[in-house]
Amino acid sequence: MATETRIGASLSSAYLTRAGRLGNADKGSYLASLRRGWLDVVFGLVGPDDEEEEEGAPEYWDAYGKIDWQFDDATDGGIWTLWAEDRFDGQEREDGALEVVDSSYGNRWLVARGQRLWSPSAVTSARLFAGQVERERFASESEGSTDFMVRDDRELDVFGLASDTSLELGSRHVMSMGFEVRRYDASYDYRNARAFTDPIGAISDTEPTVRFLGEAAGEATSLWVSDRWRLSPRLVAEIGARYDHQSWIEDAGEDGDQISPRLGLAWDLGESGVVRAGWGHAHQSQRPNELRVEDGDTRFLAAERSEHRTLGWENAFTSGRRLRVDLFQRLGRDLQPRYENLFSPVVLFPEGSPDRVRLAPDRSRAQGLELFVQGKPRPRFNWWVTYTYSDVERRIEGAWIPSQTDQPHALTADVSFRVSRKWKLNAAWIYHTGWPISELTAELVDGPNGPDIRPILGPLYGERVDDYHRLDVRLSRQFDLGKGDLQLYFDIQNLYNRENERGYEFGEDAFLVQPDGSVRVEPEIDTWLGVVPSFGLTWSF
């Protein structure tokens, strides 16, 4: 393994990566990577404009290191570590409004692994790991008659051991089994204060958590086994099961045990492709640091259960073209309550929005079809297209309602063209149906101090924002240097500056009383980013 160094930089970050061999016996190798985002530096150079005072920008860094070693012909192992931190500090003053944001997220992991080949038909791998995840959030918002303040500090420590063993019991039979044990220790320091006195505040049905200071700890145990048989030269079947247990779920008085069976089939059709079918159950439980204290839930709930069904066909033609068709269905049971923001689903502090509501679905389903087509590989021109038709719904109080991110149609088309030996052009077009949103109207009612505006919520997720689409392009140039290669690139996201709707905001000025006593509602439309240019370079040597 030759030593390789890569240095890269763009408008948002810079990184350094180095990989090589350890020692002269060619038994060991290493990889080290360091990345630093510098948007805070760029924003600091630009500074605030004349109309408002705005400070702050995201800053982040991460470091990754890995060492692998071949102890002998049958045993190898290694160790890797990851450290990552990101932070955002900012404040904005405009027309009397004050918004202060101070948030950070960090995680640190250390993993040791080993693998032993006991015989040509038996191998065992094991992992010993420890990690820490920290999250701190502070916000203070004052806009018109709406106040909000949150402080959210959480920490999670994880220790664990996992192992997998695979046994070949014959030319047509392979069995695999394994286990994992984890110890979690989580701590919470949370408070919340709200004052929703604007008209839309009447929509929210969540209660603020004034203070929550607590700890959660426990052990998670997992066991799994699978058996794969070649029933015929062209038919392979695999059956398996997984057992999970969470002690903190059991301590909360809920069922902390789950069993998840699964079954898979693969039928080789020769030149006509491969047909695959699968069925199984899966469970999703809350980890000790995932209590929804921001929405008033301070007790762990039983794990959610889902049933998965898949059927697919794939063929790689002799010409190089590929075609894949997949049908899928996921049925959800034992669902936990959801807390969602009805009009603006993507916000930094969702619990501080007056449109936050509690939803309690008893069933869910996601089903549809996915199609992937890849053209014949050519020296200068390549393309692929993926299209998905899906239906994602939840049953709430007996009615099936679209999920907040339901998008019946989604398409991505990617084209790459090598203009010359050194120049390359890539373009990707992304489209999906607009996300569901709830309609809001209003009327005047008599209040204790005169007429008041009362918001009226329409059918839950009965409307949709406009369809989303954008075009991204990248132009890159390769340079052959005396030592290594240099690649320069320039890309533009959302080339034609599509104003894709993300959601709506309803301030006090959104409700306009008409001369006839009616109320016209004109929300402010939130949009995703417009044109985003960037450029960068990578030097490999």
Side-chain angles (χ1 to χ4, degrees):
M1 176 182 180
T3 301
E4 182 182 31
T5 302
R6 302 185 70 185
I7 300 175
S10 67
L11 283 179
S12 60
S13 65
Y15 70 90
L16 169 64
T17 300
R18 185 174 176 85
R21 186 178 62 184
L22 284 173
N24 298 322
D26 215 11
K27 289 187 175 183
S29 63
Y30 72 90
L31 171 66
S33 176
L34 178 64
R35 182 178 60 162
R36 169 64 159 91
W38 54 24
L39 284 174
D40 55 322
V41 177
V42 175
F43 286 8
L45 294 175
V46 175
D49 57 33
D50 297 333
E51 298 179 358
E52 64 182 37
E53 181 182 344
E54 182 175 349
E55 300 177 359
E59 57 180 276
Y60 61 91
W61 68 269
D62 54 58
Y64 174 78
K66 182 178 73 166
I67 294 176
D68 292 315
W69 191 266
Q70 187 76 40
F71 296 97
D72 55 44
D73 292 341
T75 309
D76 67 87
I79 186 170
W80 67 263
T81 183
L82 170 67
W83 289 58
E85 303 280 347
D86 65 67
R87 188 177 189 88
F88 180 80
D89 298 329
Q91 63 181 28
E92 178 180 345
R93 293 183 177 90
E94 182 183 6
D95 299 331
L98 173 64
E99 180 179 346
V100 179
V101 176
D102 183 357
S103 63
S104 64
Y105 178 85
N107 63 89
R108 294 166 283 278
W109 291 91
L110 180 64
V111 180
R113 69 157 193 92
Q115 181 171 280
R116 176 70 178 179
L117 183 65
W118 305 105
S119 71
S121 59
V123 61
T124 297
S125 62
R127 301 175 302 280
L128 180 66
F129 53 89
Q132 186 179 70
V133 180
E134 295 177 330
R135 187 182 79 175
E136 297 180 0
R137 301 190 306 158
F138 172 78
S140 178
E141 182 181 55
S142 177
E143 184 177 356
S145 58
T146 300
D147 299 320
F148 171 72
M149 193 280 289
V150 65
R151 172 187 168 182
D152 185 4
D153 295 343
R154 307 188 191 199
E155 182 175 318
L156 175 69
D157 295 321
V158 185
F159 302 92
L161 172 66
S163 177
D164 295 277
T165 298
S166 179
L167 302 173
E168 291 187 13
L169 303 178
S171 60
R172 301 168 60 184
H173 186 195
V174 178
M175 177 174 287
S176 301
M177 62 197 72
F179 73 89
E180 182 178 70
V181 291
R182 293 193 179 203
R183 168 68 187 185
Y184 292 99
D185 290 281
S187 62
Y188 296 80
D189 186 355
Y190 186 87
R191 66 174 296 189
N192 186 338
R194 305 184 297 181
F196 297 148
T197 57
D198 58 347
I200 197 178
I203 296 296
S204 178
D205 60 1
T206 61
E207 295 295 330
T209 302
V210 177
R211 181 78 175 181
F212 180 82
L213 183 65
E215 297 180 349
E219 294 78 31
T221 304
S222 300
L223 304 171
W224 58 86
V225 61
S226 67
D227 202 357
R228 187 169 71 246
W229 286 80
R230 181 171 292 278
L231 303 178
S232 72
R234 291 192 173 186
L235 182 61
V236 177
E238 182 171 358
I239 185 171
R242 180 184 177 99
Y243 166 77
D244 292 283
H245 173 78
Q246 304 87 28
S247 63
W248 61 92
I249 302 294
E250 190 174 65
D251 293 342
E254 301 287 351
D255 186 2
D257 299 299
Q258 304 96 40
I259 297 178
S260 306
R262 58 197 64 186
L263 174 66
L265 295 171
W267 184 18
D268 187 354
L269 303 177
E271 294 183 357
S272 299
V274 178
V275 174
R276 294 184 175 89
W279 170 89
H281 284 187
H283 290 82
Q284 181 65 50
S285 63
Q286 294 173 289
R287 290 180 293 185
N289 66 325
E290 293 177 339
L291 269 177
R292 300 186 183 95
V293 296
E294 64 271 20
D295 293 302
D297 285 352
T298 58
R299 190 177 70 87
F300 291 106
L301 302 176
E304 296 185 328
R305 176 170 58 93
S306 59
E307 180 183 359
H308 298 250
R309 304 167 182 171
T310 61
L311 177 63
W313 171 78
E314 180 179 7
N315 195 13
F317 299 93
T318 55
S319 63
R321 297 183 178 89
R322 289 183 59 199
L323 177 62
R324 188 178 73 238
V325 181
D326 291 296
L327 300 173
F328 61 89
Q329 184 182 60
R330 184 183 66 198
L331 305 176
R333 303 285 192 275
D334 306 324
L335 303 181
Q336 299 173 1
R338 264 65 172 166
Y339 296 88
E340 298 178 358
N341 297 75
L342 294 180
F343 309 120
S344 188
V346 183
V347 292
L348 187 59
F349 294 93
E351 70 266 44
S353 299
D355 61 339
R356 193 155 181 84
V357 298
R358 181 182 187 272
L359 304 177
D362 60 357
R363 293 286 188 273
S364 69
R365 64 188 178 198
Q367 54 194 6
L369 174 147
E370 183 173 291
L371 174 67
F372 173 80
V373 182
Q374 184 178 43
K376 177 182 178 180
R378 299 178 183 276
R380 300 184 62 181
F381 180 75
N382 291 282
W383 63 271
W384 58 264
V385 176
T386 180
Y387 167 76
T388 302
Y389 172 77
S390 62
D391 180 23
V392 184
E393 298 178 305
R394 297 164 296 182
R395 192 174 71 180
I396 302 176
E397 297 181 354
W400 286 97
I401 296 172
S403 174
Q404 192 176 37
T405 55
D406 174 58
Q407 46 189 44
H409 302 281
L411 184 143
T412 300
D414 185 276
V415 176
S416 62
F417 177 65
R418 186 166 292 280
V419 182
S420 66
R421 187 176 68 87
K422 297 180 181 293
W423 287 93
K424 184 179 180 180
L425 178 65
N426 181 266
W429 190 68
I430 302 169
Y431 165 88
H432 65 73
T433 308
W435 288 350
I437 203 165
S438 301
E439 182 185 14
L440 187 72
T441 59
E443 64 179 1
L444 279 181
V445 297
D446 293 330
N449 300 317
D452 284 339
I453 296 176
R454 183 178 70 181
I456 302 174
L457 184 64
L460 184 63
Y461 297 135
E463 305 289 334
R464 290 183 181 269
V465 299
D466 289 344
D467 291 350
Y468 178 101
H469 56 85
R470 74 171 199 259
L471 176 65
D472 301 340
V473 296
R474 168 175 286 203
L475 181 65
S476 58
R477 171 70 157 87
Q478 191 80 22
F479 295 89
D480 298 326
L481 305 180
K483 183 178 181 180
D485 299 323
L486 178 67
Q487 183 186 70
L488 300 179
Y489 69 86
F490 176 75
D491 58 33
I492 301 178
Q493 180 177 292
N494 196 2
L495 178 65
Y496 49 79
N497 197 25
R498 163 75 174 181
E499 292 187 353
N500 286 299
E501 295 183 356
R502 187 180 67 192
Y504 301 149
E505 288 189 10
F506 294 88
E508 287 189 337
D509 55 356
F511 299 90
L512 307 176
V513 180
Q514 303 302 297
D516 61 358
S518 62
V519 179
R520 189 171 80 247
V521 181
E522 295 183 355
E524 179 181 349
I525 299 177
D526 289 334
T527 60
W528 298 100
L529 292 176
V531 176
V532 181
S534 180
F535 66 89
L537 59 88
T538 300
W539 179 26
S540 302
F541 57 93

